[in-house]
Amino acid sequence: MTHVVCEPCSGCKYTDCVVVCPVECFYEGDQMLYIHPEECIDCEACVPECPVEAIFHEDNVPEEWNSYIELNAEKSESDECEVITEKKEPLCDD
């Protein structure tokens, strides 16, 4: 089981979640973050840190965002995204 970053992160890309991740399973894309499903240990440390509530357990992803389960898997394994471990400025204004 894993956690999934969903639509609310798109265009915001807050990185509060990455600094609490004990296994460094977050990957940075142009518009949002992604969680690698095989690296996530399901600790839930990231969930309360997300100010836009974009992180869900894969079993609890809202139906309209189910496509983000596969998107996280694809993007986190692609060459276009790199591991992110430090907090950065978000894309949107606070």
Side-chain angles (χ1 to χ4, degrees), residues 11-12 23 27 32 39 42 53 61 63-65 68 71-72 80 84 86 88 93:
C12 289
V23 293
Y27 288 75
M32 65 180 285
E39 295 173 1
D42 204 25
E53 299 180 354
V61 171
E63 190 174 332
E64 67 268 24
W65 296 334
Y68 283 86
L71 183 65
N72 275 250
E80 64 189 76
I84 178 171
E86 296 180 358
K88 295 183 177 181
D93 294 329

Side-chain angles (χ1 to χ4, degrees), residues 13-85:
K13 202 164 77 170
Y14 286 99
T15 53
D16 304 61
C17 53
V18 303
V19 295
V20 298
C21 181
V23 293
E24 301 178 354
C25 67
F26 280 89
Y27 288 75
E28 182 179 18
D30 289 338
Q31 292 296 311
M32 65 180 285
L33 302 177
Y34 305 98
I35 295 175
H36 193 296
E38 294 177 16
E39 295 173 1
C40 176
I41 60 170
D42 204 25
C43 70
E44 298 188 7
C46 58
V47 176
E49 298 300 317
C50 180
V52 294
E53 299 180 354
I55 303 172
F56 297 85
H57 187 276
E58 69 178 330
D59 291 341
N60 296 325
V61 171
E63 190 174 332
E64 67 268 24
W65 296 334
N66 274 342
S67 62
Y68 283 86
I69 297 171
E70 185 63 30
L71 183 65
N72 275 250
E74 290 174 3
K75 292 290 190 175
S76 64
E77 294 175 357
S78 74
D79 291 337
E80 64 189 76
C81 296
E82 293 187 11
V83 171
I84 178 171
T85 59

